Amino acid sequence: MYTQGQAACNRSFFPCQDTPAVKAPYTANVKVPSGFTPVMSASESSNGQIANLSGDKDTYYFSLKQPVQVYLVALAVGDLKSADIGPRSKVWAEPSVLESAKNEFNGVVEEFITTGERLFGPYVWDKYDILIMPPSFPFGGMENPCLTFVTPCLLVGDKSLTDVVIHEISHSWFGNLVTNANWSEFWLNEGFTMFAQRRIMEEIFGKAYTSLETQCGLALLRQHMDDTGEDHPLNRLCVVIEAGVDPDDTYNETPYEKGFSFVCYLQHLVGDVQKFDDFLKNYVNKFKFKSVVAEDMLEYFHEYFPHLKEQDVANKPGFEFDQWLHKSGWPPYVPDLSPGKQLTDPAEQLAAAIAGETNAEVDRKIENWKTYQIFHFLDKLLERDSLSQSVLKNLVDTYPTIPQSHNAEILLRWSQIVIKNDFQEQFSTVKKFLKSQGKQKYTLPIYKALVKGSEAAHQLAKSVFEETKETLHINVRNYVTKILVSIK
Ligand code: BES
Ligand code: ZN
């Protein structure tokens, strides 16, 4: 069993004032059936026998001394074993996946943490463990303090999806230390975290790779805005959440990528990477263990950079802070991604060639590509209005590793291409993918595409959901049910 507190589910776990505006340390006693191991988002734990609590070996004690908001209290129980992956880190998993979990994360997390510390200040959470969740876990990762929960989809075998771990580590400063005071300000958690994640990536992997990853993020924002319309009320940074609305229902790409773009814009106004890093370090230090709204952050920005306040940067026509926060639409500023050209160009050229739009000589070898180049290549194919059946057949024959991939990010994009172009001979791949995992960001877009598709696509949607609904997380199950009503 596991809990998922964010956004507002922990009120059904224990009695609480379920708001991110207040913080407290916590302790817990957890009694489990013999043979099970509980883990929590806590820095200290002991077993009854060792602590001599009640002499009961099945009672465990947990304590988190740092004050946290309610949604960060988390518990999971299972047949869990752990393995060391760094000086302050272990990975926890069921025995059948422990080995692959260890291989995926061994020796990499410590560098992510120390880079974060150098950029944003001390890591205050004592340890950083990772828990491998069951396939139905609805998120890629959840930043529970001391113990990030991650989808087993990250266990690809080649460390290609570890950016999710960098993301969750980045929440150690943005989100967990400095927290959005209410869910209308969720972008303060996720936008700053995306920025921190990409700063860490830039330090470790360089600008080219990070630009490529950012390009893939902006493609998600593009898709989301195309789907909903740029003017949709959720496509602003500060969203209006009426009483009675579940904040989870407002979840989308805007707080992530438009939030990231706004933080990049602030960095651009400062004009100096180092000075902006220093600002962020001071921002974290000033507001650590507190909850903030956008005004707090911007007021501090003005205080830290008085010359920018004097220049009245908040009111530059077209880039008004007020517009950034309260107006729907595509971000008025996005960072320069040209450092990624050496990686994005080959992917874009190959997409054009495969789609039959050019006769130019292109290098068709993808074996040495970075995995993110394949995501970008597939994003570009997905952007095309339509691809013929013969183009898709050719693609499967030339690049069999794409439909046969074990990388969920590849399978998501491939599934979307297959459905959009009604390429029925690959529907079995879509089906297999939907049955293999239940992450919300994979599951919902695929069902949405199926609903827009052919009669065969509708049949596929109905039959797979019938088979998988019992195993999906309740939120995801409810969202899919809503998506499917139009083809009832
Ligand atoms: N905190 C989020 C997950 C979340 C958001 C849970 C809202 C409940 C409500 C987590 O940090 C996250 O953003 N995960 C992403 C990772 C990605 C952006 C690298 C995910 O799950 O896809
Ligand atoms: Zn996040």
Side-chain angles (χ1 to χ4, degrees):
M1 65 78 64
Y2 65 85
T3 67
Q4 164 59 45
Q6 198 179 17
C9 292
N10 269 351
R11 63 190 65 181
S12 63
F13 175 21
F14 52 88
C16 58
Q17 298 180 27
D18 195 354
T19 159
V22 295
K23 304 195 182 197
Y26 82 87
T27 62
N29 284 303
V30 182
K31 189 173 162 80
V32 292
S34 238
F36 288 88
T37 302
V39 289
M40 289 194 82
S41 53
S43 53
E44 286 170 34
S45 66
S46 52
N47 175 288
Q49 253 181 344
I50 304 161
N52 210 5
L53 281 175
S54 58
D56 178 351
K57 72 173 175 44
D58 295 321
T59 300
Y60 291 72
Y61 170 77
F62 296 92
S63 166
L64 181 66
K65 298 236 155 42
Q66 297 83 342
V68 291
Q69 56 280 22
V70 161
Y71 75 77
L72 289 182
V73 178
L75 168 69
V77 180
D79 179 10
L80 296 174
K81 299 283 180 304
S82 69
D84 286 334
I85 52 167
R88 44 184 152 175
S89 303
K90 291 192 194 32
V91 66
W92 292 87
E94 291 187 312
S96 62
V97 294
L98 187 61
E99 187 65 24
S100 54
K102 177 162 179 144
N103 290 338
E104 202 77 33
F105 302 122
N106 196 17
V108 300
V109 296
E110 185 59 21
E111 190 184 8
F112 301 157
I113 303 168
T114 52
T115 306
E117 289 192 289
R118 183 159 55 73
L119 293 171
F120 312 119
Y123 180 82
V124 305
W125 307 100
D126 304 320
K127 62 177 184 177
Y128 180 79
D129 290 354
I130 296 175
L131 173 66
I132 310 299
M133 300 300 282
S136 66
F137 187 59
F139 298 102
M142 176 63 216
E143 65 271 26
N144 298 130
C146 313
L147 180 65
T148 284
F149 288 16
V150 299
T151 170
C153 295
L154 301 194
L155 307 179
V156 197
D158 57 7
K159 302 187 196 294
S160 58
L161 297 180
T162 35
D163 54 293
V164 175
V165 171
I166 306 180
H167 178 94
E168 305 315 332
I169 288 174
S170 300
H171 277 303
S172 304
W173 296 272
F174 305 96
N176 294 6
L177 255 189
V178 182
T179 308
N180 54 218
N182 60 67
W183 296 116
S184 296
E185 306 270 350
F186 181 54
W187 79 274
L188 283 170
N189 276 17
E190 296 301 340
F192 276 82
T193 292
M194 289 308 303
F195 184 87
Q197 172 199 326
R198 288 170 178 155
R199 277 296 290 120
I200 294 174
M201 289 175 66
E202 216 171 83
E203 294 294 300
I204 299 175
F205 306 118
K207 255 192 175 330
Y209 182 74
T210 308
S211 297
L212 169 67
E213 189 275 335
T214 305
Q215 189 97 288
C216 292
L218 287 178
L220 293 176
L221 182 66
R222 186 70 266 166
Q223 277 173 29
H224 160 73
M225 292 213 177
D226 286 347
D227 277 5
T228 56
E230 288 193 357
D231 296 340
H232 194 282
L234 290 180
N235 296 342
R236 65 183 74 164
L237 289 181
C238 298
V239 293
V240 179
I241 307 179
E242 305 287 353
V245 171
D246 183 344
D248 280 339
D249 295 350
T250 68
Y251 183 81
N252 69 77
E253 288 298 328
T254 303
Y256 288 81
E257 295 297 345
K258 190 173 177 176
F260 164 77
S261 301
F262 185 40
V263 182
C264 287
Y265 177 63
L266 296 177
Q267 182 198 45
H268 166 79
L269 288 174
V270 173
D272 182 295
V273 173
Q274 175 71 48
K275 282 192 184 134
F276 192 71
D277 287 348
D278 289 344
F279 161 72
L280 288 178
K281 199 184 258 183
N282 282 286
Y283 167 73
V284 169
N285 188 49
K286 180 172 170 82
F287 293 108
K288 63 183 177 217
F289 302 118
K290 293 199 169 73
S291 301
V292 298
V293 294
E295 279 72 58
D296 299 317
M297 184 277 292
L298 289 172
E299 200 179 294
Y300 185 60
F301 179 79
H302 280 134
E303 186 186 316
Y304 194 89
F305 298 110
H307 70 287
L308 294 180
K309 186 178 180 172
E310 256 164 55
Q311 290 168 26
D312 197 23
V313 291
N315 293 307
K316 269 197 181 176
F319 303 90
E320 294 88 348
F321 288 178
D322 191 57
Q323 294 229 358
W324 270 104
L325 297 177
H326 302 294
K327 196 170 163 251
S328 298
W330 189 253
Y333 171 93
V334 291
D336 172 27
L337 299 179
S338 59
K341 271 180 86 60
Q342 63 196 94
L343 297 170
T344 51
D345 279 354
E348 287 166 23
Q349 285 155 9
L350 185 59
I354 290 278
E357 295 160 3
T358 162
N359 294 320
E361 272 298 308
V362 301
D363 188 354
R364 290 178 180 255
K365 267 175 68 96
I366 66 168
E367 288 86 67
N368 299 326
W369 277 12
K370 306 246 180 247
T371 305
Y372 266 89
Q373 288 180 283
I374 301 182
F375 303 166
H376 186 57
F377 165 67
L378 294 173
D379 281 342
K380 288 291 146 190
L381 288 179
L382 186 59
E383 265 175 33
R384 283 6 192 218
D385 284 337
S386 72
L387 298 167
S388 72
Q389 303 286 304
S390 67
V391 162
L392 292 166
K393 276 201 174 73
N394 179 31
L395 196 98
V396 174
D397 292 342
T398 321
Y399 304 109
T401 53
I402 290 179
Q404 288 164 18
S405 175
H406 292 291
N407 187 311
E409 293 286 333
I410 292 181
L411 290 172
L412 165 68
R413 289 165 175 83
W414 175 241
S415 297
Q416 289 173 300
I417 292 169
V418 163
I419 300 163
K420 181 171 179 179
N421 296 288
D422 202 30
F423 187 44
Q424 295 187 14
E425 67 180 63
Q426 275 287 316
F427 274 19
S428 56
T429 306
V430 177
K431 187 169 182 170
K432 208 164 107 200
F433 181 50
L434 284 173
K435 286 165 84 166
S436 71
Q437 55 73 42
K439 181 176 160 179
Q440 182 168 319
K441 276 205 229 173
Y442 300 154
T443 306
L444 303 191
I446 293 181
Y447 277 104
K448 281 182 193 160
L450 286 169
V451 163
K452 277 206 231 158
S454 63
E455 182 54 34
H458 295 177
Q459 286 314 321
L460 173 74
K462 283 192 257 187
S463 72
V464 184
F465 186 53
E466 210 40 57
E467 280 182 69
T468 59
K469 64 181 178 197
E470 297 300 326
T471 63
L472 290 175
H473 185 278
I474 181 70
N475 285 1
V476 178
R477 188 192 309 165
N478 289 338
Y479 291 133
V480 176
T481 304
K482 271 199 191 141
I483 292 169
L484 295 184
V485 285
S486 66
I487 57 163
K488 257 277 150 55

